[in-house]
Amino acid sequence: MNVDLLVHEAWPAYEQRRHGGWILRYAGGVTKRANSVLALDVPADLDAAIGVAEDFYASRGRRCVFAVGAAPELDAALEARGYALVDPTVVMTGPGGSPEPEHEVRVEDRPWPAWLRAWWSVDGRYGSGLEEAERICTGVPAWYAAVEEDGVPLAVGRGVPQGDTLGVYCMATLPRARRRGLARSVLRALVRQGGTRSAYLVTTASNVAAQALYRSEGFEIRGGYHYRIR
């Protein structure tokens, strides 16, 4: 399972440029994931390649960002150039089977307006970027799940089928609805909907509460990455 590529494909930037083994990604500045360099190899002239990436983002008025996994040479080169390390992230994988959700979960193949508003109210760290975020989400086939009360989504998630695995994204619960098991029901509904042999998700290393939930559903940490920001 090449998680770097799975994440790239499940959260697609709508502008992508290849430079050797690197993919330069841009999506209006919404999320570092879709606005960073995915470095799939280390080029012979690493400094020149970094310069190309810096020019790419500078021309769009953005700071250059790299998603860095198991690439110590690249990580060291970026650190030497003054790039800050941010958002250490863990990758967790789990089984494809899942028990029945404990709550009724609505599942659609498109994000409806209330789903988007609920997700963005929790995860919308980028001001007015909801339109760009929706464009990213709908760039590939996916399912959108929510536990609702009176038509209002309280907990949401997104599942992306990718061959024999399912990528789980956009897990978010409104603050007033937490500690009620709603996220667990959303996760179970997505995994059951996917019907794949396995599932994976990513979460920040500091989010130990989310990791505890995912472990209780059979997920374990299998790797990780971080970002370097100029």
Side-chain angles (χ1 to χ4, degrees):
M1 179 187 294
N2 187 328
V3 175
D4 290 339
L5 282 175
L6 287 173
V7 172
H8 167 69
E9 292 166 358
W11 196 256
Y14 48 76
E15 182 181 353
Q16 301 181 24
R17 178 182 298 176
R18 288 269 183 176
H19 180 72
W22 289 8
I23 305 175
L24 314 181
R25 305 175 291 187
Y26 177 71
V30 175
T31 77
K32 287 186 291 298
R33 187 182 299 153
N35 293 271
S36 61
V37 179
L38 176 60
L40 299 173
D41 63 12
V42 178
D45 192 340
L46 181 55
D47 285 340
I50 293 173
V52 169
E54 290 177 344
D55 290 344
F56 175 84
Y57 290 101
S59 68
R60 289 154 181 79
R62 300 288 176 179
R63 290 189 294 173
C64 190
V65 181
F66 283 79
V68 182
E73 184 179 350
L74 172 61
D75 202 41
L78 294 172
E79 183 176 25
R81 295 171 76 113
Y83 279 69
L85 189 157
V86 300
D87 289 349
T89 299
V90 296
V91 178
M92 304 183 74
T93 62
S98 181
E100 285 277 359
E102 297 175 356
H103 305 82
E104 182 178 351
V105 182
R106 175 181 175 182
V107 181
E108 305 282 354
D109 60 8
R110 296 283 298 183
W112 60 101
W115 186 98
L116 286 164
R117 288 194 297 270
W119 170 55
W120 198 248
S121 72
V122 175
D123 206 30
R125 301 182 296 273
Y126 306 93
S128 60
L130 181 56
E131 182 177 340
E132 287 86 355
E134 181 180 6
R135 187 175 175 185
I136 294 168
C137 282
T138 57
V140 293
W143 293 296
Y144 299 84
V147 176
E148 298 178 311
E149 282 187 0
D150 300 323
V152 177
L154 300 181
V156 300
R158 171 179 177 260
V160 182
Q162 296 176 276
D164 62 358
T165 194
L166 180 81
V168 178
Y169 293 85
C170 301
M171 292 290 291
T173 304
L174 300 186
R176 62 184 172 86
R178 291 173 182 166
R179 300 180 181 85
R180 292 169 50 185
L182 306 186
R184 184 185 305 277
S185 289
V186 168
L187 177 62
R188 288 181 176 182
L190 287 171
V191 172
R192 290 174 70 86
Q193 180 77 27
T196 53
R197 293 173 53 191
S198 66
Y200 75 93
L201 50 83
V202 295
T203 185
T204 56
S206 61
N207 194 345
V208 294
Q211 292 170 41
L213 165 64
Y214 302 142
R215 282 196 182 93
S216 72
E217 292 295 304
F219 286 74
E220 294 294 339
I221 294 176
R222 300 301 183 193
Y225 60 91
H226 57 265
Y227 294 95
R228 287 281 184 179
I229 299 182
R230 187 179 186 186

